[in-house]
Amino acid sequence: GKIKPSPPPPLFGALGGGGLRGGGGGGARRGLPGSPRGGGFFWRAAGAQDPPPAGAPPRPKDLEEGGGGGWLYLSSGTWSLLGAEVNAPVLTNAAAECNATNEGGLNGTIRLLKNIPGLWLLQECRRSWAAKGGGGQTFDYAQLTELAVAAEPGTALLDLGDPAFSAPGEMPEKIAAHCQRTHQRIPNTPGEFTRVILESLAATYAQVVRQLERLTARKFSTLHIVGGGSRNKLLNQLAADATGLTVRAGPVEATAMGNILAQAITTGAVADLAAGRALIARSFEPQIVG
């Protein structure tokens, strides 16, 4: 008769608060790099953090209330992910109506967030300006921000949920058409386009903050902005002005820090999430606005 093979031992261990861990004595024999001689190998899969609230270091005063307290995080880059850390999913009709997302976080927390367009519109405008034949204009983001600072405020506000803004290509033309359709003044220069985009982002942040306050029945006081967009000082100031919150910008590499922190907690090198956030807060000086 046929010999029925024995099932292999389980590869993955049980999922705990700090992540998965496993391994054993076979690593060295398999020739895995870094395997200790005769001791096999061990692996740990920590909780994934993208967007990176684990790397956003709230101050102790921001954590006075349970499950996140008076702070929000904003992962600012090509897309903007703005959310709160809560203890349980928010599954109300109001959450569904405003398209809020519940994502699992470290230590059993939930990231209640909204995914909204970020600097994608500006990236597409920059690409379009550079591609305009022999008359193309190439700007870096610092130059565009300087031009936006000098531009007149209040030219127009964009509805960033307009589906036209989701597709790549001809973004300045799409913005102009949107302004014409909504009876607003059309920006003319790269500085004006940049200012319109940044002001529209800040206004959208303010709308989402109010939504999150209603969904969580909390009042927020601090917005931690992380990611590449946290380097844009004009956007940080506009966000503080529009939301009425104190903005703490940085660190830029919060995703990587959140991942390292999750691994450090899993290995026992850091006691818990609060201790890890305190370590990050001591290691980086944020830009504070508001």
Side-chain angles (χ1 to χ4, degrees), residues 14-21 44-47 106-108 261-267:
L15 179 62
L20 292 164
R21 67 184 67 198
R44 288 178 173 86
L106 284 180
N107 293 356
L261 175 57
Q263 295 183 59
I265 294 170
T266 303
T267 62

Side-chain angles (χ1 to χ4, degrees), residues 164-202:
F165 296 143
S166 299
E170 300 182 336
M171 192 61 71
E173 291 79 6
K174 293 175 182 176
I175 292 173
H178 180 93
C179 291
Q180 184 175 35
R181 187 169 62 252
T182 54
H183 308 290
Q184 300 183 85
R185 188 158 66 87
I186 298 173
N188 292 313
T189 66
E192 290 180 355
F193 274 97
T194 302
R195 180 114 197 172
V196 164
I197 291 169
L198 298 184
E199 289 182 348
S200 300
L201 278 172

Side-chain angles (χ1 to χ4, degrees), residues 1 33 68 94 230:
S230 68

